[in-house]
Amino acid sequence: MKRLALTLVALLLAAPAQADTLVDNVNGITLDKDGKVVRFTGMVIGTDGKVKQLLDRKDKRPERPDFKEDGKGRTLIPGMIDAHGHLMGLGLSLMLLDLSETRSLAEAQAAIKKYADENPELPWIIGRGWNQEKWGLGRFPTAADLDAVVPDRPVWLERVDGHAGWANSAAMTAAKITAATKAPEGGRIEMVDGKPAGVFVDAAVALIDSAKPKPLARDLDRAFLAAQQQLLAQGITAIADMGTTIQEWQAYRRAGDKHQLAIRILSYGGDIDNMALIAGPGPTPWLYDDKLRMVGVKLYLDGALGSRGAWLKAPYADAPGQKGLPLLTPAQLRNKMVRASMDKFQVAIHAIGDAANAEALDAITDLTADLPGERRWRIEHAQIVDPSDIPRFAKLGVIASMQPIHQPSDRLMAEARLGPERLKGAYAWRSMENAGVRLAFGSDVPVESANPFPGIAAAISRTDAQGQPFGGWHPEEAVSRETALDGFTRSAAYAAFAEDRLGTLMPGMRADFLIVDTDLLLASPEDIRKMMPLETWIGGYRYYKKGG
């Protein structure tokens, strides 16, 4: 709490640099507007918080800058842009029970009981992060597993991917769930012996969500500041917030009004209702000195692979009777896309399975001719794509918004879900790039850590934190260091119509950058994975210093 208080003081005092700043003696790296690598040793930042000039060794330095920062030969790179995350989800996860590090059901049960015992005043025990695949459980957990440790209060725990929830009997009672309860369209209730087993998938999650206590405005404000602090420490200077609600937008506005907004938020409304409530007739202008803007809308077309909600063309290899769940009918998807596009909102479609990706591409094909102008359609995740559909991304100008860190996390699960023959279009970054598809990279935080450096390491090596598998998983899909850096900077900005101000350090762009101790373009995947920012600057102002 002391550190958070100090951060708040710094934010209240923060403002774009009011005088020219020289950051000198650095190993500077950026991409230009065409994606070419530019190296420099000094950078001048103007009073408007924008890059004024990049300097080579032979270039004359300003004689009397108002402020000079000696980089001491360390590496300076553009600030990282997370092209797909859930900002408030991160903040709330930092405040609630976190099961993401548990390695077995027993370990999770112990953590749940400990949390419940330490928080007797909470009417519900709420948390997230469980993963039955990581536990090696071979099944979904059940209400009985929760009842064994917390029988007297409702417990509701979101799966790591956010596409399923786990309830105890008290939570199901509070939500009036019985054997007669029907799953809504696009959802599934796991059953045992004709009764709800305790796990609710995709749209069925709302059955319990509607009964649990809602966070108050002060809870959201606290969650936002906690998330922002963590992102700054991880080198994230901007994030595409996928699925913003009106309550979350109001929290961001309160932070902006109080001069507590440091990172840049590129917001995509949670479906049409939130989009319209927040922005009304069209995307908002840039607010708070380019810190906040609603760009578009996020639509869910299917679920996730781990909960078997991803919509596949053929049945799951480990569940032959299941193909996953389309969450929208073809008519619903197209109606929502037209509604958003007519008011010039950008559309981002969540599609994980190959059937969902094909349907998203079909819908874009159907609508493109009737919707003139630059749409920059986005498909979020694009994890499992039929190889025959990959060229369609490029033909339609669709941005593939992908999360490299999912590949090492999902590898074994994806093999089980799909079988070896259907992995050719899985996490296919190089195939996308070779086909001419624009790649934007992110983390899907809090499903994964927002730390971009393990994501970059995965993108260039196709290995996990232990360097496994040796030689990389389907190494032909690895990309270059330059492509990985581009995905987290220039192309991530382009994917949100922000390339005119964010994503590079060329003159005229916002001076959002990191000081690190490793040259990203020369280091090994192992060294990149260990990288952490020493300093994080946004708009020419230092918001984070390691150990500071």
Side-chain angles (χ1 to χ4, degrees), residues 48 55 96 120 122 196 209 222 237 239 247 283 321 361 367 370 421 499 507 515:
D48 55 2
L55 303 169
L96 302 175
L122 294 178
D209 262 347
R222 182 178 162 216
T237 56
I239 183 169
Q247 293 84 5
L361 292 168
L367 299 180
D370 296 325
E421 295 304 314
E499 76 276 12
I515 302 291

Side-chain angles (χ1 to χ4, degrees), residues 161-427:
D161 56 18
H163 286 270
W166 175 23
N168 69 349
S169 296
M172 290 194 288
T173 298
K176 297 180 172 57
I177 302 296
T178 69
T181 302
K182 302 296 184 184
E185 185 177 350
R188 186 175 76 246
I189 301 174
E190 291 292 313
M191 306 293 285
V192 173
D193 297 329
K195 298 179 180 178
V199 167
F200 299 77
V201 179
D202 287 316
V205 165
L207 296 173
I208 305 287
D209 262 347
S210 62
K212 75 177 184 182
K214 302 294 187 288
L216 302 174
R218 62 174 175 267
D219 299 323
L220 296 178
D221 291 347
R222 182 178 162 216
F224 165 70
L225 292 173
Q228 177 172 256
Q229 181 182 353
Q230 180 158 310
L231 293 175
L232 289 170
Q234 293 175 323
I236 301 298
T237 56
I239 183 169
D241 187 44
M242 287 291 167
T244 309
T245 66
I246 182 63
Q247 293 84 5
E248 292 166 354
W249 177 265
Q250 288 168 338
Y252 305 154
R253 290 297 305 262
R254 288 192 294 272
D257 291 343
K258 297 176 188 174
H259 306 289
Q260 293 177 347
L261 189 56
I263 61 170
R264 304 189 193 278
I265 304 172
L266 308 161
S267 173
Y268 291 76
D271 217 303
I272 298 296
D273 288 348
N274 282 295
M275 177 197 82
L277 277 171
I278 292 166
T284 69
W286 288 93
L287 305 170
Y288 309 113
D289 209 28
D290 292 351
K291 293 290 181 68
L292 179 64
R293 185 184 185 224
M294 170 151 282
V295 186
V297 64
K298 162 82 175 296
L299 304 177
Y300 279 98
L301 186 49
D302 70 344
L305 205 60
S307 54
R308 297 191 187 87
W311 183 22
L312 302 180
K313 292 184 175 182
Y316 282 85
D318 58 355
Q322 297 182 30
K323 288 186 178 181
L325 300 165
L327 301 182
L328 297 170
T329 67
Q332 288 171 334
L333 174 62
R334 286 158 180 77
N335 286 341
K336 288 174 184 286
M337 292 169 67
V338 169
R339 166 69 178 84
S341 296
M342 291 297 286
D343 285 336
K344 297 183 169 48
F345 289 100
Q346 187 186 18
V347 175
I349 305 171
H350 167 114
I352 289 182
D354 52 7
N357 277 278
E359 171 61 12
L361 292 168
D362 287 346
I364 292 167
T365 300
D366 292 345
L367 299 180
T368 293
D370 296 325
L371 294 170
E374 188 176 16
R375 295 294 161 197
R376 293 193 195 175
W377 307 102
R378 296 175 55 140
I379 292 183
E380 305 302 310
H381 307 303
Q383 279 179 221
I384 313 299
V385 180
D386 187 324
S388 66
D389 284 327
I390 289 176
R392 299 174 66 197
F393 277 78
K395 181 180 178 181
L396 295 166
V398 176
I399 296 162
S401 172
M402 306 177 79
Q403 300 75 46
I405 198 62
H406 280 333
Q407 180 269 304
S409 294
D410 292 356
R411 173 173 62 91
L412 298 178
M413 180 265 291
E415 290 175 349
R417 295 285 187 271
L418 300 172
E421 295 304 314
R422 296 160 65 191
L423 294 173
K424 290 181 181 177
Y427 314 86

